[in-house]
């Protein structure tokens, strides 16, 4: 139904996969309207692609009220989420990265991600189970409209909104929809990306993977080592990886093609599967689908054109190491939803519309290079598997121990990637008040907690046992380490601009050492936007003007420069 201004929806989202659904749910939770257009039928299972939901994504789903349902899905309670490296799936184990399964996820802190500073550890669940839960959760939220079996044919932008022409795929009349904003969450072949004139740039092919979705109920009984979520086969004949989909009989098998294997059919699929699994001709399996894919490192040269934005695979494609294809898209959607909501709710200014690009595009460039470098490192090791690795001899034992140490050290950083979860920061945003201190660097697997503006506010548990992140408000939250620090001027400046600003007093003792300032302001996604001592009324007004994305000319005032070190 059109509103008084003639808009059918606030944000029209092309693509109802996990990224588009995350964007829609974020908007609907704030009372805004979102329309999702998806060519698949509702209930049609997605391809068995992503198998990992990161801690940051689980935190987003926690805020949206769907984390518990997602954590209950996927592998059985007692099935280990470990990553095992073996000579073959049924052969000798070389090393194992231990990651607790669902039953022990919140109590077992012995593994390499057991110390993580988050209320929501990561979860291993395939997209086949993840996406239907998100669909049903979204469909139950007021404000979300799902248009399945519908294709977007074209769109035209003007100063006030976007007009979209869409066609139902089952023969109904064409649709004409009017939205204030539009988001392309429509994957690697994005029509929205083409429509805004953006193109993918980078490395077109880094890796070719012959991937097979199979049913093999007899496989676990043939394993020498205990089962795991990820099972790598490492031998001179053929290296690959098997991912457990249901922990019983469904598996996704990746066969990494070699440099001289030109295409997906250049290697006999059945032979490769049996070699990776380590089984003979008597082993029975059912090939459910071919899921062959290219590993790329491509990032769109623009993420926005006027009122149309790109998220997820529409904006970036890379080798899916660390599970960060879908998870980066979920982070895109969460970020974009917050900026758009501020504009739609009336408290954010024009710079907020630029902030999504200024924040997310540099991060996707960084993550894409982490993934590419890791892909190259693993390819190098697959090309150099020692001939005696499988030998039943002291030399074989020595080689397996040596290779195991190397594989564990290299891969624990991608499967327990603390840096990608908690280390990235926004250092180019127009709506963050920087103070001259540089954010600490991070790698795929390591990071340094920090309250430098743009960083993720370090997690802690409040005195009532509540996660700090659960206490963050929908716009900004003022965190007070000194209960006597005056906040009325900041609250007044926010109130005058209609900006929601909550106040949370932090525990008087036991604070992490990064909390060095009496006041710190974070937004809903837990990124720090300002820290300092209590500013005067004029500086407060100008600070809130910057954080809301106000006019640049107002931000050059001497009061701002004096107080915030510019």
């Amino acid at each position: 139904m059109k509103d008084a201004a003639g808009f059918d929806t606030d944000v029209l989202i092309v693509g109802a996969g996990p990224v588009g659904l995350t964007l829609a749910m974020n908007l609907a939770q704030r009372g805004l309207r979102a329309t999702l257009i998806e060519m698949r039928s509702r209930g049609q299972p997605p391809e068995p692609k992503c198998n990992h939901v990161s801690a940051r994504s689980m935190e987003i789903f926690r805020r949206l009220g769907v984390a518990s349902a997602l954590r209950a899905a996927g592998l059985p309670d007692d099935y280990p989420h470990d990553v095992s490296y073996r000579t073959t799936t049924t052969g000798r184990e070389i090393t194992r990265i231990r990651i607790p399964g669902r039953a022990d996820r919140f109590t077992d802190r012995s593994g390499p991600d057991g110390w993580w500073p988050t209320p929501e550890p990561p979860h291993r669940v395939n997209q086949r189970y993840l996406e239907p839960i998100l669909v049903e959760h979204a469909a139950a939220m007021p404000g979300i409209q799902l248009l399945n079996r519908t294709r977007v044919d074209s769109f035209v932008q003007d100063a006030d909104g976007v007009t979209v022409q869409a066609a139902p795929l089952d023969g109904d009349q064409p649709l004409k929809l009017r939205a204030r904003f539009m988001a392309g969450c429509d994957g690697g072949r994005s029509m929205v990306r083409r429509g805004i004139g953006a193109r993918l740039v980078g490395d077109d092919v880094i890796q070719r993977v012959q991937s097979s979705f199979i049913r093999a109920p007899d496989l676990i009984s043939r394993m020498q080592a205990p089962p795991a979520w990820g099972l790598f086969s490492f031998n001179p004949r053929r290296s690959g990886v098997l991912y457990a989909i249901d922990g019983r009989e469904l598996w996704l098998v990746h066969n990494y093609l070699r440099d001289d294997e030109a295409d997906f059919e250049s290697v006999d699929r059945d032979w490769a599967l049996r070699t990776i699994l380590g089984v003979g001709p008597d082993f029975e399996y059912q090939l459910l689908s071919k899921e062959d894919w290219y590993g790329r490192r491509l990032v769109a040269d623009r993420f926005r054109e006027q009122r149309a934005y790109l998220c997820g695979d529409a904006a970036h494609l890379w080798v899916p190491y660390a599970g960060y294809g879908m998870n980066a898209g979920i982070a895109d959607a969460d970020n974009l939803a917050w900026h758009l909501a501020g504009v739609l709710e009336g408290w954010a200014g024009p710079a907020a519309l630029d902030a999504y690009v200024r924040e997310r595009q540099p991060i996707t460039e960084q993550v894409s290079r982490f993934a590419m470098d890791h892909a190259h490192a693993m390819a190098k090791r697959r090309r150099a598997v020692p001939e005696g690795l499988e030998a039943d001899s002291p030399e074989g034992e020595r080689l397996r121990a040596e290779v195991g140490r190397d594989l564990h050290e290299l891969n624990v950083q991608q499967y327990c990637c603390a840096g990608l979860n908690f280390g990235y920061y926004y250092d180019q945003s127009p709506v963050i008040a920087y103070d001259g201190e540089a954010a600490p660097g991070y790698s795929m697997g390591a990071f340094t907690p920090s309250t430098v503006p743009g960083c993720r506010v370090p997690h802690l548990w409040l005195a009532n046992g509540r996660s700090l992140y659960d206490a963050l408000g929908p716009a900004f939250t003022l965190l007070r380490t000194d209960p006597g620090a005056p906040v009325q001027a900041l609250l007044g400046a926010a109130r005058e601009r209609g900006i929601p600003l909550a106040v949370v007093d932090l525990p008087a003792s036991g604070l992490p050492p990064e909390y060095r300032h009496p006041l710190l302001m974070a937004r809903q996604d837990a990124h720090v936007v300002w820290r300092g001592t209590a500013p005067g009324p004029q500086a407060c007004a100008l600070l809130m003007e910057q954080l809301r994305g106000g006019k640049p000319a107002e931000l050059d005032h001497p009061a701002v420069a004096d107080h915030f070190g510019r």
Side-chain angles (χ1 to χ4, degrees), residues 250-498:
L250 297 178
W251 312 90
L252 187 63
V253 187
H254 294 333
N255 167 30
Y256 297 104
L257 299 186
R258 296 172 179 174
D259 294 342
D260 59 349
E261 295 167 347
D263 57 61
F264 297 124
E265 299 307 321
S266 61
V267 176
D268 182 87
R269 190 177 298 263
D270 178 72
W271 171 84
L273 279 167
R274 294 183 186 278
T275 305
I276 289 168
L277 300 181
V279 296
D282 63 317
F283 180 76
E284 295 183 358
Y285 70 90
Q286 179 186 3
L287 179 63
L288 300 175
S289 62
K290 297 179 180 180
E291 302 291 341
D292 305 335
W293 51 274
Y294 290 99
R296 310 181 189 276
R297 194 202 69 80
L298 298 171
V299 179
D301 59 355
R302 68 176 80 170
F303 280 26
R304 174 200 177 197
E305 176 65 29
Q306 296 176 269
R307 291 176 172 265
Y309 291 81
L310 302 177
C311 291
D313 285 356
H316 43 75
L317 292 167
W318 57 64
V319 184
Y321 279 95
Y324 263 75
M326 181 190 76
N327 289 292
I330 289 170
D332 292 343
D334 189 58
N335 183 288
L336 178 60
W338 190 83
H339 290 301
L340 291 182
V343 173
L344 292 166
E345 291 167 355
W347 55 264
L353 297 177
D354 296 324
Y356 168 71
V357 178
R358 298 273 296 275
E359 293 177 2
R360 291 304 302 168
Q361 193 165 12
I363 297 304
T364 57
E365 276 283 353
Q366 292 171 24
V367 174
S368 73
R369 294 187 184 279
F370 282 142
M372 181 179 69
D373 291 347
H374 198 91
H376 287 321
M378 278 300 293
K380 179 180 178 180
R381 284 157 175 80
R382 286 194 298 269
R383 288 192 294 266
V385 179
E387 285 293 336
L389 189 67
E390 298 170 277
D392 186 12
S393 66
E395 176 62 11
E397 290 291 340
R398 186 193 67 79
L399 284 172
R400 286 190 288 275
E402 180 181 295
V403 170
R405 285 191 295 271
D406 178 63
L407 288 174
H408 191 284
E409 181 180 347
L410 175 65
N411 287 288
V412 72
Q413 62 183 307
Q414 69 143 321
Y415 286 112
C416 300
C417 47
L420 293 190
N421 274 275
F422 312 121
Y424 70 80
Y425 51 85
Y426 302 137
D427 61 356
Q428 302 177 38
S429 177
V431 293
I432 292 176
Y434 300 106
D435 58 13
E437 183 177 345
Y442 70 101
S443 65
M444 182 181 280
F447 77 105
T448 301
S450 176
T451 60
V452 168
C455 292
R456 166 190 166 93
V457 64
H459 181 259
L460 54 88
W461 295 97
L462 301 177
N464 59 4
R466 190 183 186 194
S467 166
L468 170 63
Y469 300 154
D470 292 341
L472 298 179
F476 299 101
T477 301
L478 194 58
L479 305 178
R480 187 161 54 171
T481 64
D482 174 4
V487 296
Q488 291 307 312
L490 281 168
L491 291 172
R495 187 167 51 249
E496 288 173 8
R497 290 158 181 80

Side-chain angles (χ1 to χ4, degrees), residues 1-2 6-9 12 35 37 145 147 150-156 158 162-168 172-179:
M1 180 182 296
K2 292 185 182 296
F7 289 97
D8 299 283
T9 188
L12 188 143
T35 295
I37 296 183
Q145 179 186 29
L147 297 178
T150 303
R151 180 187 67 239
V152 173
D153 287 332
S154 64
F155 61 93
V156 177
D158 56 52
V162 186
T163 302
V164 175
Q165 301 289 343
D172 293 336
Q173 292 297 313
L175 299 173
K176 182 178 180 181
L177 299 169
R178 181 82 171 142

